[in-house]
Amino acid sequence: MTPEVEDAIASMAAVNNEFFYWMSIALMMLIHAGFLAYEIGASRSKNVLATAMKNLLAFATIIASFFFVGWFLYNAMPTGFIEFNDAAKAALPWSDNMGPNTDDPASGIFWGAFALFAATTGSIMSGAVLERIRTSGFLVLTVFVGSVVWIIGASWGWHGAGWMLTELGFHDVGAAGCVHMIAGFAALGILINLGPRIGRFLPDGTPVTIRPHNLPLTMLGLFLIFTGFFGFLMGCVIYGPGGYATIYGSPTTLSAFAFNTLMGLAGGIIGAYLTSRGEPFWTISGGLAGVIAVAAGLDLYHPALTFVIALVGGGLIPFIGKLLDKMKIDDVVGAVAVHGGMGFYSLIMAGVFLAGYPNTDGNPSISFWGQLIGAVTFAALGFFPAYLLSLGLKKAGLLRIPPEVELQGLDLSEVPATPYPEGIPVTEMRSSSGTAVLVLGEEVK
């Protein structure tokens, strides 16, 4: 092979590598389109624009803060302490690697994929706290979890040099723990301080269902999330000249991910359908629960085993939702059950079914105890910081909107627009331009 051909092949491999993660980022954007539709549909019509704006602002603030803080923490903290190693220095916002640099075509696309992971943690929490949280308080919480808390967990349990891998043989290729579980337990900590929506529980504790104003839109949003999940899982794969590898560097294939993602999706939907007796919201949520339930061992499971694990996982989430109801915790979209509960379940199932499986060279084999310790660590990392910060915001009066605002709806107080203006009577004088206006819902010429 001539040097020219070798150079051409190397250049093509580099281009393919960049394009792979570029498409991962693009597909992950569908996750956020899905969360937007999902949460708008799950809210009542008086809160739909405030819900949408909260999602947009969460996305934007996390992307910006992850550039300045998050990427550095991922590269600096795999041992549990901040270390200014070469990778950490390259991730500092003023580094040559953190901007246009023809000598480094990879940093931007890797950062971009991780920034979208970070934004996902904010979207997970966003749905849980709908219809009663202050936008300012929520943004403080989402930036904290999205650019500090979860990425520390990822550095510990997802980085190739993370102490969970090197000491415990921890295995979580699809980020069931470091993304979903941490965000789900963070949402739980916030919900305890935030409290339920007005009217969600009767004085004797009986839960009252507050129905979504547009359940079909919520279901469509979840299907967009399913689609975006393929981009999410692309970002969990290392792609290079030697082929595909997991985030830990162990060999894998996209075939394994395709088999198990689809079987997890199917199993979760069927499981949730059976145990919820066909309730549409839990049934469609079961698809997401199923994928998360198998995400930790996505590279190693047989598809038949994947289906069974996801079937059980999807079947569990309605019961987790009922348990939260008994605790008077108002989780509007089931984020704690689907993300927190299934993230924990996923890590434990990997410990049960993959125990003894060899890990990457020089690291301990996968073990039940390693997975359990990792799961407990992630639960604590998600819950306690978010609980304490939300408690501080609550005491400062910055967490929850006033009751009168909640009753009339956030759109009237926070958003200078209306989502469905055709159905709202408006009292106005005829304009001087002669343009027709609406007076109490009737057109006046």
Side-chain angles (χ1 to χ4, degrees):
M1 187 179 297
T2 65
E4 290 78 9
V5 173
E6 291 179 350
D7 290 344
I9 292 174
S11 297
M12 183 59 70
V15 169
N16 287 343
N17 180 277
E18 291 181 59
F19 187 72
F20 181 85
Y21 291 103
W22 178 267
M23 290 308 301
S24 169
I25 295 168
L27 282 171
M28 270 197 274
M29 292 292 291
L30 288 176
I31 291 177
H32 300 283
F35 271 117
L36 187 72
Y38 176 34
E39 293 177 28
I40 287 174
S43 67
R44 286 167 286 183
S45 57
K46 63 183 180 179
N47 295 316
V48 293
L49 287 181
T51 296
M53 295 299 290
K54 178 164 60 65
N55 271 65
L56 292 172
L57 289 170
F59 179 84
T61 52
I62 289 177
I63 294 295
S65 59
F66 192 79
F67 176 85
F68 291 108
V69 178
W71 193 228
F72 166 76
L73 291 176
Y74 178 73
N75 288 281
M77 292 196 65
T79 63
F81 304 95
I82 292 180
E83 296 180 355
F84 283 86
N85 53 54
D86 289 343
K89 292 177 182 177
L92 289 168
W94 53 82
S95 165
D96 289 342
N97 300 79
M98 296 298 286
N101 184 347
T102 56
D103 292 330
D104 176 18
S107 288
I109 53 172
F110 284 121
W111 167 81
F114 272 74
L116 268 292
F117 292 144
T120 299
T121 65
S123 294
I124 290 168
M125 296 188 301
S126 176
V129 299
L130 285 179
E131 301 195 307
R132 74 273 200 201
I133 197 168
R134 288 184 182 270
T135 299
S136 55
F138 172 74
L139 293 178
V140 170
L141 289 162
T142 197
V143 165
F144 178 60
V145 174
S147 292
V148 178
V149 174
W150 92 271
I151 197 62
I152 291 175
S155 186
W156 293 351
W158 223 30
H159 195 289
W163 68 265
M164 287 187 180
L165 172 65
T166 59
E167 301 295 328
L168 305 174
F170 185 73
H171 195 78
D172 181 22
V173 298
C178 65
V179 172
H180 297 282
M181 185 180 169
I182 289 177
F185 275 84
L188 178 61
I190 296 167
L191 288 171
I192 291 172
N193 288 309
L194 182 63
R197 289 167 291 174
I198 295 172
R200 179 66 174 83
F201 296 97
L202 298 178
D204 64 357
T206 303
V208 175
T209 299
I210 298 177
R211 300 194 179 280
H213 94 283
N214 192 335
L215 186 56
L217 182 61
T218 291
M219 298 175 75
L220 176 62
L222 271 163
F223 235 99
L224 285 173
I225 294 172
F226 298 162
T227 307
F229 227 94
F230 283 87
F232 184 101
L233 294 172
M234 285 175 72
C236 299
V237 170
I238 298 172
Y239 174 59
Y244 295 101
T246 69
I247 197 75
Y248 302 113
S250 55
T252 192
T253 64
L254 291 185
S255 180
F257 276 61
F259 273 127
N260 289 324
T261 301
L262 290 172
M263 290 297 278
L265 182 62
I269 290 173
I270 294 171
Y273 176 82
L274 292 174
T275 58
S276 71
R277 300 182 180 182
E279 201 285 319
F281 176 81
W282 284 119
T283 299
I284 191 72
S285 297
L288 184 55
V291 176
I292 297 169
V294 300
L298 206 62
D299 58 324
L300 298 176
Y301 289 143
H302 186 278
L305 176 61
T306 291
F307 179 79
V308 173
I309 293 172
L311 183 76
V312 174
L316 286 174
I317 57 170
F319 295 105
I320 300 174
K322 290 179 181 178
L323 177 62
L324 293 174
D325 279 349
K326 290 182 180 180
M327 299 167 64
K328 295 185 180 180
I329 293 175
D330 181 14
D331 179 358
V332 180
V333 299
V336 176
V338 173
H339 298 273
M342 286 302 99
F344 191 94
Y345 172 79
S346 185
L347 296 182
I348 299 303
M349 289 301 98
V352 171
F353 292 106
L354 301 178
Y357 199 94
N359 227 318
T360 46
D361 290 343
N363 294 313
S365 298
I366 301 169
S367 70
F368 174 80
W369 291 111
Q371 294 297 111
L372 178 60
I373 293 170
V376 172
T377 300
F378 281 160
L381 182 63
F383 179 82
F384 288 108
Y387 175 84
L388 292 172
L389 179 56
S390 60
L391 179 62
L393 291 170
K394 178 181 179 180
K395 290 185 177 297
L398 300 174
L399 184 63
R400 183 160 181 153
I401 60 174
E404 59 272 19
V405 174
E406 183 177 350
L407 288 170
Q408 72 176 2
L410 280 77
D411 284 1
L412 290 177
S413 62
E414 291 195 0
V415 184
T418 54
Y420 309 113
E422 293 85 357
I424 300 176
V426 180
T427 302
E428 289 189 35
M429 296 296 291
R430 181 186 178 112
S431 68
S432 59
S433 65
T435 304
V437 297
L438 292 177
V439 178
L440 295 178
E442 298 181 1
E443 189 174 35
V444 176
K445 299 293 185 182

